[in-house]
Amino acid sequence: MSGFKQTLLLSILILTSINVSAVLPTAIDGNNLPSLAPLIKKVSPAVVDISVSGGSKISSQNPKNLLDFLTPNSSVQTKSQPFSGLGSGVIIDADKGYIITNYHVIEHADKIIISLISGRQYEATVVGQDPQSDVALLQIKNKYPLVEITFADSDKLQVGDFTIAIGNPFGLGQTVTSGIVSALGRSGLNLQNLENYIQTDAAINSGNSGGALLNLKGELIGINTAILGPNGGNIGIAFAIPANMVKNLSQQLLEFGEIRRGILGIKGGEVTPELAKSFELEINHGAFIYQVTPNSAADKAGLKAGDVITSVNGTNIKSFAALRAKIGTLSAGKKVTLDVMQDDQEKTIIVTLGGKDSTTSTVTPSPTIIFEGAILKDAEKGQLIPGVNVAQVEKNSEADRLGIVKGDVIIAVNRTKVINQQQLMTELKKAKNMRALNIMRNNRPIYIILD
């Protein structure tokens, strides 16, 4: 084909494309085509850009010679390393200028600048922060009216619901993306934190942290927090803190300036398929209770070792991590309704959370079953609680590491009762999927998971 004909054909294609675009319909049967533009126009003023700056302290040693590294008197110098960062935030109270964002956005910041979509800028102060939940509450003194966002009930979210993300990716300025709820109750990104994330495939990148995740009503369903992706880039897997958690935490920060966590007073772990099979559970999700702390909120409410908590305030719990996050974001003194599987029966138990500074904690099950360092004795005749008695445990031994203590009475492996060492070892060998010691300690039942 000649160059002239190629040019002519290209021109025809371009003109055709332009003509087609020009006649695309704006309405069908008299109805306007759906658009998110009106919603975005309404809520975008409530989402802000955040820029931070400060100096992180770095300690270093300057030894005169190699031996100085080995002495406690070697010279230590502290330097300040300047840094700057970008993020996003959401206005939750227009009258008082309160803004919610992620703790990691403002961590170590000496100066926090809030930029509105109107172009106005304000310096913000920190009202309160909670590293465990990665939430921080800021405030600006505004001379002009602000727009606040409305909270949705995030407990009503379902997988497949549409989502809209607004934030400041890579410092480009306010950007809007959309997607769906990909999953609920995600955890495991950082085991030290309280995690019960909403997962979405809306495009979220570095700089979106602290921004809004909305439903199609323009209500806040979550605060965008983390992504899975190389070099901070989007691959369609992003996570947001549920709005109900954010609301509970922000209320505590406003009232106390800190988080005063309510606690149950339990230790536990996940309901794995192996555990469910070994304990003949008809459910394969929830939070399994290994131990109940004496005189704790859980103890007073009637929770017991071996129970499985399946929901909190009517919302299903998929894992112990989800339970930990739910409880850890409620304040002390709150009443919580728990659905529980107890002794093969479904029960509803109301608990008034305690007021200590700790929260529910997990127990890491030991992968081995070695009673090295422990002296075991068979049940004595007429023993009030028949079982294998632990007469002694050597410090730092394998038994000590497993959590077995002197005075324990091993009464069962999984659900099979044992009264002597032979039965104990036989049942441990028979239990292929999950091995759990049911122990009476100070007249209270606990479980130690061995696998």
Side-chain angles (χ1 to χ4, degrees), residues 48-50 86-89 105 167-171 204-211 232:
V48 303
D49 297 345
I50 299 178
L86 298 169
S88 308
V105 169
N168 179 28
F170 301 112
I204 293 174
N205 293 281
S206 179
N208 273 101
S209 290

Side-chain angles (χ1 to χ4, degrees), residues 163 177-183 186 198-205 213 226-230 232-240:
T163 61
T177 57
S178 64
I180 63 170
V181 174
S182 304
R186 290 297 197 206
I198 302 164
Q199 182 183 328
T200 181
D201 65 348
I204 293 174
N205 293 281
L213 189 67
I227 60 173
L228 287 182
N234 170 64
I235 60 170
I237 301 177
F239 303 94

Side-chain angles (χ1 to χ4, degrees), residues 32-45 164 166 176 214-218:
N32 292 331
L33 290 174
S35 173
L36 296 175
L39 183 152
I40 300 304
K41 185 177 181 180
K42 178 182 177 181
V43 300
S44 59
I164 303 166
I166 308 180
V176 181
L214 308 170
N215 60 20
L216 292 185
K217 295 180 180 179

